[in-house]
Amino acid sequence: MSRTPSSPAGARSRVAHLLARHPGCLAAAVPEPGTGCWVGVRGGPHGVRYARPDTGDFTDRAAPLMAAALVHAWVAAGRAPAALRSIAPADG
């Protein structure tokens, strides 16, 4: 998880760098300015899969961390990365 926001292209590149540098890491996330982030997850025949969750009105700065943690738990439980179709905050 990177805490420093990057442009969309920079965030995706940083995710790739983090996963390459930490081979035991299943998921990485890098925030963009505003509410967006890029998440990368290892798994499947295509290596790393990337996603850019739509965070909508969810402006919590911890959103990238929570997205990476959720994706990590999903993959660690043996589920396919491609089977995770969306990540959204629960209504409080």
Side-chain angles (χ1 to χ4, degrees):
M1 166 66 190
S2 174
R3 294 183 180 155
T4 306
S6 297
S7 67
R12 182 176 170 148
S13 176
R14 180 77 177 137
V15 165
H17 172 78
L18 289 169
L19 290 173
R21 185 169 178 203
H22 303 282
C25 181
L26 288 178
V30 175
E32 296 175 356
T35 63
C37 70
W38 273 97
V39 177
V41 60
R42 293 184 199 281
H46 305 292
V48 176
R49 296 179 58 92
Y50 296 95
R52 188 170 179 250
D54 178 12
T55 56
D57 293 332
F58 190 53
T59 58
D60 189 325
R61 292 188 55 126
L65 177 61
M66 289 186 278
L70 185 135
V71 170
H72 179 272
W74 182 268
V75 174
R79 296 183 172 113
L84 182 59
R85 296 289 181 206
S86 68
I87 300 171
D91 291 335

